[in-house]
């Protein structure tokens, strides 16, 4: 029997909905922190198939989730292109910034398969160990979001450097987006070859773009990634996460031809109504409600399932599980979703 998540992505409506959580593996789990201590840096951790496959499986040992998400990061793609990427403990990612043509032209998508081979090895190991009724989700960042980190050299509040390059030197910025689109196609295709069942594209910073640029740097690359996969004979379903861009979500899903769209916690009934019924809907629950837990969280879970009961729904959060989340609250969330019996 195929997993409930894949059935929803293929067109079924299931009551109660399948459930998985963004960042379901991570620092809120003590067993993750213990595993993490075995690697030098975060990227070393991602590139150790023994550790990455174990981190992927940890949340499924504790909770009755319907899917595992491969333990990796969206910033392995710049590494695969030959850019320097590292993580500063307690601060976040750092990258050698790409601001001019010589820096960009030193990068190449040709080495992706080899440089990121440990990621695919981790995926194959997980698929071999995972219950066949559970889906394995592979992922990549959206080209715009990864470009933001590459141009800024770190996270940012306003993405001033990325937007400045986009508007000052459109040709160079287009070259970067094209390179990332190609790299993403290779990276996703290799994950599928290794056994992942579906793909999520995280466009975490799509919400900072005006409409025209959203179309050009979020919708178009996403549509290209999908078209390239189909051309290679991959029928693998795609979930897109245009975080912060709820008002464009319907057009994004339709024009990119996605099986599902993942929505952040600000999206309400009005934006939902615009999304085609042929597109499954995922996400929404505020990660802070998971932190709060208890009756307030359970009421919000019931309200969300009720709101989406006529649609194809994959239960998830509007963004990732926060490190300070009590694991018991995750167990309560899964029980509340699985135990939902209408109302
Ligand atoms: O469980 C899962 O969801 C799978 C693993 C996963 C990670 N990162 C592991 C991780 C996934 C899907 C991601 C995606 C990711 N990475 C995104 C898109 C989703 C989002 O959150 O918007 C982004 C923007 C990144 C880049 C990134 N990686 C940042 C900004 C940080 C630092 C912030 C932080 O939480 O520390 C990371 C590090 C990271 N990636 C951690 C984990 C578990 C924490 C690092 C650690 O354990 O030391």
């Amino acid at each position: 029997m195929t997993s409930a998540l894949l059935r929803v992505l293929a067109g079924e409506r299931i009551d109660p909905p399948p459930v998985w959580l963004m960042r379901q593996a991570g620092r809120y789990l003590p067993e993750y922190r213990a595993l993490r201590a075995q690697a030098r840096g975060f990227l070393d951790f991602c590139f150790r198939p023994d550790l990455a496959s174990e981190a992927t499986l940890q949340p499924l040992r504790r909770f009755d989730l319907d899917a595992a998400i491969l333990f990796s990061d969206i910033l392995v793609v710049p590494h695969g292109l030959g850019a320097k990427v590292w993580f500063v403990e307690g601060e976040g990612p750092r990258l050698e910034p790409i601001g001019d043509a010589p820096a960009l032209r030193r990068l190449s998508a040709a080495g992706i398969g080899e440089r990121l081979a440990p990621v695919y090895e981790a995926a194959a190991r997980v698929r071999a160990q995972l219950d066949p009724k559970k889906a394995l989700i592979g992922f990549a960042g959206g080209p715009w979001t990864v470009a933001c980190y590459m141009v800024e050299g770190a996270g940012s509040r306003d993405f001033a450097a990325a937007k400045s390059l986009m508007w000052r030197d459109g040709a160079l910025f287009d070259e970067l987006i094209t390179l990332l689109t190609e790299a993403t196609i290779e990276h996703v295709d290799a994950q599928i070859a290794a056994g992942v069942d579906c793909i999520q594209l995280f466009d975490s910073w799509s919400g900072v773009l005006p409409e025209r640029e959203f179309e050009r740097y979020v919708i178009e690359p996403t549509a290209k990634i999908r078209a390239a996969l189909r051309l290679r004979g991959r029928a693998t379903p795609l979930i897109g996460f245009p975080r912060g861009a709820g008002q464009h979500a319907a057009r994004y899903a339709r024009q990119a031809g996605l099986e599902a769209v993942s929505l952040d916690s600000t999206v309400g009934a009005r934006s939902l109504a615009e999304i085609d019924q042929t597109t499954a809907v995922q996400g929404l629950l505020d990660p802070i409600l998971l932190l709060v837990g208890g009756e307030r969280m359970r009421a919000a879970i019931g309200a969300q399932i009720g709101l989406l009961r006529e649609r194809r729904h994959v239960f998830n959060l509007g963004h990732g599980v926060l490190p300070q989340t009590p694991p018991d609250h995750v167990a309560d969330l899964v029980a509340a979703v699985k135990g939902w019996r209408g109302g």
Side-chain angles (χ1 to χ4, degrees):
M1 199 188 66
T2 50
S3 81
L5 172 63
L6 296 179
R7 284 164 54 204
V8 170
L9 295 178
E12 273 183 64
R13 211 180 51 75
I14 300 183
D15 247 351
V19 53
W20 70 278
L21 303 176
M22 291 188 261
R23 287 279 177 98
Q24 64 191 25
R27 285 168 296 195
Y28 77 104
L29 292 176
E31 62 271 33
Y32 170 87
R33 296 194 296 268
L35 199 63
R36 174 77 174 76
Q38 293 182 38
R40 273 171 297 138
F42 179 68
L43 273 193
D44 301 303
F45 184 42
C46 290
F47 294 141
R48 285 267 309 267
D50 55 337
L51 302 182
S53 58
E54 176 58 21
T56 306
L57 291 163
Q58 281 179 339
L60 280 90
R61 298 211 175 94
R62 271 187 187 247
F63 313 117
D64 186 18
L65 296 157
D66 292 287
I69 177 161
L70 178 63
F71 191 85
S72 183
D73 199 84
I74 65 167
L75 299 179
V76 300
V77 164
H79 171 89
L81 288 170
K84 285 199 189 69
V85 181
W86 67 103
F87 284 80
V88 180
E89 214 62 54
E91 286 185 33
R94 295 287 181 275
L95 297 89
E96 147 198 35
I98 304 299
D100 54 22
L104 178 59
R105 288 179 195 144
R106 277 196 290 274
L107 307 179
S108 152
I112 285 267
E114 203 175 315
R115 298 191 80 137
L116 301 186
V119 176
Y120 316 132
E121 169 64 21
R125 287 194 194 193
V126 174
R127 192 58 280 180
Q129 291 176 64
L130 191 63
D131 178 342
K133 289 194 293 295
K134 310 278 183 183
L136 175 58
I137 304 166
F139 72 92
W144 158 253
T145 293
V146 178
C148 281
Y149 285 100
M150 290 178 77
V151 176
E152 300 283 341
S156 167
R157 218 178 268 279
D158 53 13
F159 295 98
K163 285 182 170 179
S164 299
L165 184 69
M166 171 177 91
W167 278 314
R168 280 203 186 111
D169 192 347
L172 187 67
F173 194 74
D174 282 359
E175 213 178 295
L176 174 58
I177 292 288
T178 301
L179 177 68
L180 283 170
T181 303
E182 283 168 17
T184 306
I185 292 162
E186 294 307 325
H187 183 48
V188 165
D189 188 57
Q191 291 177 63
I192 297 168
V196 308
D197 303 299
C198 62
I199 295 290
Q200 176 149 323
L201 294 173
F202 289 86
D203 235 327
S204 303
W205 300 110
S206 61
V208 305
L209 287 174
E211 191 167 333
R212 246 186 86 232
E213 285 75 11
F214 180 85
E215 178 110 21
R216 181 162 179 156
Y217 295 120
V218 176
I219 297 182
E220 282 182 19
T222 305
K224 275 192 195 151
I225 292 165
R226 182 193 165 86
L229 293 171
R230 293 298 178 267
L231 213 58
R232 293 178 183 202
R234 304 292 193 194
T236 313
L238 297 183
I239 307 168
F241 180 35
R243 190 169 74 92
Q247 80 272 29
H248 306 307
R251 211 155 42 84
Y252 165 80
R254 193 177 305 130
Q255 291 181 15
L258 302 172
E259 278 71 18
V261 63
S262 198
L263 303 166
D264 67 69
S265 310
T266 66
V267 174
R270 196 169 321 146
S271 297
L272 276 170
E274 293 171 2
I275 298 169
D276 296 341
Q277 293 289 332
T278 50
T279 308
V281 168
Q282 173 185 279
L284 295 171
L285 191 83
D286 197 314
I288 306 291
L289 276 165
L290 177 60
L291 202 63
V292 169
E295 206 32 63
R296 192 64 197 79
M297 173 183 79
R298 279 192 288 274
I301 291 168
Q304 176 170 326
I305 300 177
L307 175 71
L308 294 172
R309 68 185 306 184
E310 304 296 323
R311 301 197 61 122
R312 289 157 51 218
H313 178 200
V314 176
F315 200 94
N316 206 319
L317 304 175
H319 201 192
V321 177
L322 294 162
Q324 64 272 38
T325 304
D328 285 354
H329 292 192
V330 175
D332 289 348
L333 176 148
V334 175
V337 174
K338 302 268 165 184
W340 191 81
R341 290 292 175 270

